[in-house]
Amino acid sequence: MTQADANQQVPGKVVRMHRFPTLSSLLVGLISVAVLASPTVSARDTLLPVPAHGVIGVDDAKLSPGYWVSRLETPDAVLLEPDAIAARNARLLQADDSMHDLAAWPVEIDGQVVRALIEDLSSRPTRTLYDVHGREIPAATLDDLVSNLALDALSSGPRTVRFGLVLKRAPLRTFPTDLRVFSRPGETDIDRFQESALFPGTPVLMLRQSNDTHWEFVVSPRYAAWIPRTSVAIGTREQVLGYGSRTPYRVITGAEVHTVDTREAPQVSALQLDMGVRVPLAEVPLDQPVNGQHPYTSWIVDLPVFGPDDFLAFQPALLPKIADTSPDYLPLTRANLIRQAFKFLGERYGWGHSYDGRDCSGFVSEVYRSMGVQLPRNTSDQAVSPVFARRAFGEADTSEARLAAARALDVGDLVYIPGHVMMVIGHVDGQPYVIHDTNGGSYVDADGELVRMGLNGVVVTPLLPMAFNETETYVDRMTAIVSP
C-alpha cells in the first residue's frame, strides 16, 4: 500500500504516521496492466499466450512453487546469515523513521504530543464516504467519530506510557470504530478506515483510550492506530518487551495456523497465528494434560491473555505438531522465498489485512518475516528504507534502462510501482515473473485494448505485460527495486 506520511517529533524519536491513498490512486496503481511502452518494445513483442482462464502468460505449471525452485541454480544458498539479519533489523529500528523502537520511548510523554499523533491519523474526513449499502455517511456520524477521540481532555503535561501485548489478530483503525466506509457507492472491499492489523504477541505502547473506552490508540513497532480494547492487555514493560525474545519458541511458517480448540481455555482456543509470528514454548510438565488434553501431539506454547483485573497474564495452549511451524526462522534462501510466498497463492486480497488476509505490502512482509527479516509496513516506506539494497527510478530513467533492470531481476527482489509491490520468482524465456497480492490486474491485447483481469488475490503474473494504465506499463512506472 502507498500511504502519505507526516512527521511528528516525540522525545527521542521521529514517529511517522500513515494514511492510505485515495481510492482512485489505488485503482490506478493496482488494477492496470499492459505491454512495455518503449520505443524498442512493441505490444506484439511482449504479448504472451492467454490461457482459457484469462491470465496472460500463466499456465498451470507456473502455479507450482516446485516449477520455479527447479529453475534455480543454487536454490538453497543462504542469502544472509541470521546474525546479519538481526543486525540489520536493529538498524531498521534506528534508521527508518517509519519504524518505532518501543524500548527507546520514555516512560512519560506529553499529552499534546499524543494529541498531535492522533490528530495526524484521525482527521475528520472532508470527502463524501459511503456505508456498505451505498448510503452517504451523515455528517453527524463523522462528528461522533471525532468526539470519540476524546482529544479535548488531552492537556499538556506528562502522561505515563502503558505497555501492552496484543492477544489476538486485531484490526488497526483510523478511528475508534467498527464502521466500514467506502469512497463510492457499490465499493465494499476497500474500507477507508482500515489501516492494518496486529498479531498475537505484538508489543504496543498504549497512549490513549477512546471516549467510549472500547478502543486504544497504540504504537506498535511498525504502525500506530486504534485497536479494540478487547484485543490488548496491559502488562509491565518487562513482560511486554521481553515476550518476543523468550526461548525456546516456534515460528509460524504456514500462511496461518490455529491452536487447538478447547472449551477449558477460550482465550487461546482456535487462535489464528499468521506467518512469521513467533510464540515461546510454555514451561509446563510434558506428561500432564493441558486444557483438558494430553500435549504429546502438540507444542505447548505460552500465549498472552487477560488475567485478573484484565491485566496481562499467560496461558498454555496447544499448537499441533503437524501444523506448519519451525523451531526457528527459516534460512533466507531463494527456494524458501518462493515456497513461503506460494503458501498464500489464491488468498483473497485484503486491504489493510481485512478478510483475515493481507494486502500487497503485508504479503511480502510476512513472507520475509518467516525468515526473520523485518520490513516496514507500507510500500511507501519499504521502497525508500535506508537499510536495504535499493535501485531507485525517476523521470530520467529511459525505457531501455528500466527494461534492462527488469530483465536483471533476481528471485526475492521486490519491485515497487506507485501503490503496489511484487516479489520476483524467476524468468521464463527472458520474461521476469512475479507473485503479488493485487486487487486488480490488466494487460493490453494485440488490438491495443486494455483487458482487466480482476485478479483480487495472491497471483502469479509476468511483469512486462502488466500495465499501469492504457499507455504505461508497470515497468514504465517502477519507483524502486529493493533487495531485502
Side-chain angles (χ1 to χ4, degrees):
M1 295 172 294
T2 298
Q3 300 176 343
D5 352 286
N7 291 344
Q8 170 63 43
Q9 183 72 43
V10 298
K13 177 74 173 175
V14 173
V15 176
R16 297 172 67 190
M17 307 299 293
H18 311 278
R19 291 199 189 95
F20 287 99
T22 63
L23 179 61
S24 60
S25 68
L26 174 83
L27 293 175
V28 169
L30 298 183
I31 291 182
S32 339
V33 191
V35 246
L36 188 63
S38 162
T40 59
V41 181
S42 69
R44 194 171 299 279
D45 289 332
T46 58
L47 201 61
L48 293 171
V50 181
H53 54 59
V55 179
I56 187 171
V58 181
D59 53 34
D60 285 349
K62 294 182 179 67
L63 298 179
S64 166
Y67 173 89
W68 299 101
V69 173
S70 68
R71 301 175 68 86
L72 298 174
E73 291 184 4
T74 56
D76 299 316
V78 175
L79 305 178
L80 203 62
E81 295 291 345
D83 287 349
I85 292 174
R88 193 174 63 183
N89 288 343
R91 291 201 308 275
L92 185 69
L93 277 180
Q94 299 304 315
D96 192 313
D97 289 340
S98 72
M99 303 291 291
H100 312 303
D101 184 359
L102 304 191
W105 277 59
V107 295
E108 292 182 335
I109 185 171
D110 189 87
Q112 290 303 302
V113 173
V114 176
R115 177 170 184 151
L117 291 172
I118 295 173
E119 287 181 328
D120 189 67
L121 176 77
S122 308
S123 57
R124 190 185 191 282
T126 56
R127 56 183 168 155
T128 302
L129 296 171
Y130 301 87
D131 66 15
V132 293
H133 305 292
R135 298 173 302 209
E136 185 174 332
I137 302 296
T141 298
L142 299 178
D143 291 339
D144 289 343
L145 294 178
V146 173
S147 177
N148 199 30
L149 301 176
L151 295 181
D152 290 341
L154 269 174
S155 57
S156 298
R159 297 175 56 85
T160 301
V161 172
R162 296 168 297 147
F163 288 82
L165 270 186
V166 176
L167 309 181
K168 57 186 177 182
R169 195 185 207 268
L172 285 175
R173 306 285 290 170
T174 311
F175 285 92
T177 180
D178 288 319
L179 176 67
R180 301 179 73 224
V181 301
F182 308 93
S183 294
R184 57 189 173 89
E187 167 60 60
T188 57
D189 270 352
I190 301 176
D191 176 2
R192 307 309 306 169
F193 287 169
Q194 179 72 14
E195 295 283 343
S196 188
L198 294 180
F199 304 101
T202 303
V204 295
L205 305 178
M206 304 168 68
L207 300 186
R208 182 63 174 168
Q209 195 169 81
S210 61
N211 192 55
D212 62 12
T213 72
H214 296 160
W215 296 80
E216 290 279 349
F217 186 82
V218 300
V219 176
S220 74
R222 300 198 308 154
Y223 214 88
W226 293 94
I227 191 173
R229 181 65 185 85
T230 55
S231 300
V232 59
I234 299 172
T236 67
R237 184 181 189 277
E238 293 71 24
Q239 282 178 314
V240 170
L241 298 185
Y243 182 79
S245 59
R246 286 172 51 183
T247 57
Y249 55 90
R250 302 294 298 182
V251 174
I252 308 305
T253 47
E256 62 182 54
V257 303
H258 294 83
T259 59
V260 171
D261 193 304
T262 173
R263 61 182 176 81
E264 287 83 356
Q267 288 193 71
V268 296
S269 177
L271 190 72
Q272 179 174 326
L273 302 171
D274 291 75
M275 183 180 287
V277 169
R278 167 177 164 159
V279 286
L281 299 183
E283 297 181 2
V284 298
L286 301 180
D287 60 350
Q288 299 296 314
V290 173
N291 304 331
Q293 183 177 345
H294 197 290
Y296 82 108
T297 60
S298 299
W299 304 106
I300 311 173
V301 295
D302 211 19
L303 295 175
V305 295
F306 283 120
D309 300 321
D310 284 345
F311 281 93
L312 179 64
F314 297 96
Q315 171 75 47
L318 298 181
L319 185 60
K321 288 185 176 179
I322 64 168
D324 194 349
T325 72
S326 171
D328 205 348
Y329 294 105
L330 299 174
L332 179 57
T333 68
R334 294 177 179 87
N336 279 339
L337 285 167
I338 290 172
R339 293 189 185 108
Q340 291 302 101
F342 269 77
K343 291 177 182 179
F344 293 111
L345 189 68
E347 179 182 84
R348 180 171 175 147
Y349 177 82
W351 171 263
H353 279 69
S354 54
Y355 300 121
D356 273 339
R358 57 223 87 236
D359 49 36
C360 63
S361 54
F363 164 65
V364 298
S365 292
E366 284 155 46
V367 169
Y368 270 97
R369 186 176 63 183
S370 68
M371 281 154 269
V373 177
Q374 295 294 323
L375 298 177
R377 172 62 183 94
N378 295 324
T379 56
S380 57
D381 297 311
Q382 292 175 3
V384 300
S385 183
V387 305
F388 302 114
R390 173 175 172 264
R391 161 75 157 96
F393 295 90
E395 293 182 359
D397 290 287
T398 65
S399 293
E400 291 84 354
R402 288 169 173 273
L403 179 58
R407 295 199 186 279
L409 287 164
D410 196 3
V411 170
D413 284 348
L414 301 179
V415 181
Y416 293 86
I417 63 174
H420 193 45
V421 58
M422 302 156 278
M423 192 184 87
V424 178
I425 54 176
H427 297 254
V428 179
D429 299 329
Q431 289 270 356
Y433 276 74
V434 293
I435 187 169
H436 50 132
D437 198 348
T438 176
N439 78 328
S442 312
Y443 66 94
V444 172
D445 65 16
D447 298 324
E449 297 295 325
L450 188 69
V451 178
R452 301 185 188 277
M453 295 180 286
L455 299 171
N456 206 29
V458 178
V459 297
V460 170
T461 66
L463 174 61
L464 301 187
M466 300 294 285
F468 192 82
N469 53 39
E470 288 83 352
T471 60
E472 297 175 296
T473 66
Y474 280 14
V475 173
D476 290 325
R477 295 301 303 271
M478 282 192 306
T479 60
I481 296 171
V482 173
S483 301

